[in-house]
Amino acid sequence: MAAGIESIALLLSPLILWLAACWWLRRDHGTRRCDSRMLLADGPSRRGVDDAVRALLVTAHPDDETMFFAPSILKLAQARLWLLCASTGNYYNHGAIRKEELLKSCAVLGIPLSNVTVINHRDLPDHPSVEWDTSLLSALILKHVETNHINLVLTFDIGGVSGHTNHKSLYTAIRHLHSEKKLPEGCRVLTLETVSLFRKYLSVLDLPISCLHSRDVLFVLTREEAETAQRAMRCHRSQLLWFRRLYMFFSRYMVVNSLRSL
C-alpha cells in the first residue's frame, strides 16, 4: 500500500510542479520586479552618484551571460548595465568568433555595446581546470567597478553553476574584494545560486522549488522574455552543439535566476 502511494506521488510530482509554476506565472505575470531601492537596500548609494542601479555582470566566457544570467539581465532592463567578460573563450581557438557572438548576444539582451568589455589576458586562459590568479582578477574587476561607479555586482557563486574552475575563480576574486572591504561603500554583490543537477534541468518547473528555498533576489522571465533569451543564445552559433540546444529549452537558468547576497 505504502509503495503504491509513493509511486503515485512520484507520478504526480511533475504535474504538481507544473500547476504550481503556472499559478505563479499567472499571478505574477512572470515578473519579479526589483527596483534600485530594494537591490541597494543593504548599503547607502555613493556620493555624487544617483541611487539608480549601476550593475556590473562579471562572467568568464562569451555565452555565460545568456546561458546563466539572461533572467537577471532582462529583469534589470531599467538599470545601467555593464558586462565584464574575463576571457575570449579561446579554448578551441575560436576566441575572435566568440567575441563577435557575445556582442551580438548583448545587443539582443539590451546591454549597450559600449558597456561590454572582453579581457584577453594570457594569464586568464579559457580552461576548465585552470584557476585564475585572484590578485590579477580582483584588480581588473575593481578598476571596472570604480571607473563606472558600479553599485551592484553580479557573478557566479562558489559552485560556478556548472563547476567550471574559471567560473569559481570569479567568485573567489569578488569575495576577496568584498571581504577585504575594497569595493566602494554601498556596492552590493549578488551571486547566482548553484542548484542540483535535477533542478538545473527542470526549466520553469523549478520555480515553485526556488520560491520555497531562501534567496535574496528571484528573477523569473515571462514567455516573451524567455524567447528573447533564446534569441540571444542563438547568437552564439559556434557553441550551439546538440546538447546546448537542449539546454536552451530545459535549463532553469534560461528562465529563473535565484541570487544571494555576499
Side-chain angles (χ1 to χ4, degrees):
M1 180 69 175
I5 293 174
E6 289 179 0
S7 298
I8 293 172
L10 286 174
L11 290 173
L12 290 178
S13 292
L15 176 61
I16 293 170
L17 287 174
W18 180 78
L19 290 172
C22 289
W23 171 80
W24 178 274
L25 292 172
R26 188 183 187 90
R27 186 196 70 155
D28 206 34
H29 305 291
T31 302
R32 301 292 292 166
R33 298 187 185 278
C34 291
D35 61 22
S36 61
R37 288 170 296 179
M38 187 179 91
L39 286 170
L40 302 178
D42 290 346
S45 47
R46 298 182 59 193
R47 293 180 181 178
V49 180
D50 63 35
D51 63 357
V53 174
R54 300 174 65 88
L56 173 65
L57 173 62
V58 184
T59 62
H61 318 103
D63 76 14
D64 287 349
E65 82 293 338
T66 307
M67 287 184 67
F68 307 115
F69 291 96
S72 296
I73 294 171
L74 291 171
K75 288 303 182 183
L76 286 170
Q78 301 304 313
R80 296 282 304 277
L81 288 172
W82 282 261
L83 171 66
L84 179 62
C85 185
S87 80
T88 61
N90 201 40
Y91 186 67
Y92 292 109
N93 298 315
H94 293 158
I97 294 173
R98 296 192 68 184
K99 181 177 179 179
E100 290 301 315
E101 291 173 345
L102 172 63
L103 296 176
K104 293 177 181 178
S105 170
C106 287
V108 173
L109 293 172
I111 302 177
L113 299 189
S114 59
N115 291 2
V116 178
T117 301
V118 181
I119 299 172
N120 186 10
H121 196 291
R122 65 181 182 180
D123 293 331
L124 299 174
D126 171 14
H127 198 287
S129 63
V130 173
E131 185 175 344
W132 288 339
D133 181 78
T134 298
S135 297
L136 171 61
L137 201 51
S138 297
L140 291 169
I141 294 170
L142 183 58
K143 181 180 179 181
H144 219 73
V145 168
E146 293 177 336
T147 299
N148 297 294
H149 306 294
I150 298 301
N151 53 24
L152 176 67
V153 178
L154 299 92
T155 194
F156 296 99
D157 69 1
I158 193 171
V161 177
S162 65
H164 199 297
T165 303
N166 294 167
H167 296 182
K168 294 190 284 186
S169 294
L170 296 180
Y171 171 80
T172 301
I174 293 177
R175 184 188 62 188
H176 168 75
L177 291 172
H178 183 268
S179 62
E180 294 296 319
K181 301 187 184 305
K182 294 184 177 181
L183 291 172
E185 182 184 6
C187 183
R188 185 177 180 185
V189 178
L190 291 175
T191 59
L192 184 64
E193 180 187 16
T194 297
V195 300
S196 67
L197 188 64
F198 170 72
R199 288 183 58 194
K200 185 176 180 179
Y201 293 105
L202 282 178
S203 186
V204 74
L205 295 183
D206 182 66
L207 179 54
I209 303 174
S210 295
C211 293
L212 291 174
H213 283 69
S214 62
R215 80 285 171 186
D216 294 302
V217 177
L218 179 66
F219 292 124
V220 184
L221 296 186
T222 63
R223 179 178 297 179
E224 293 76 13
E225 290 167 336
E227 291 172 354
T228 299
Q230 290 188 8
R231 286 203 308 274
M233 188 61 201
R234 291 190 187 98
C235 293
H236 295 282
R237 295 184 62 183
S238 68
Q239 304 304 299
L240 285 183
L241 303 175
W242 66 270
F243 56 89
R244 288 199 181 92
R245 292 183 182 275
L246 290 177
Y247 179 96
M248 287 171 56
F249 292 99
F250 291 103
S251 175
R252 55 96 71 178
Y253 290 98
M254 293 293 294
V255 289
V256 178
N257 275 178
S258 51
L259 304 105
R260 300 175 186 270
S261 295
L262 275 187

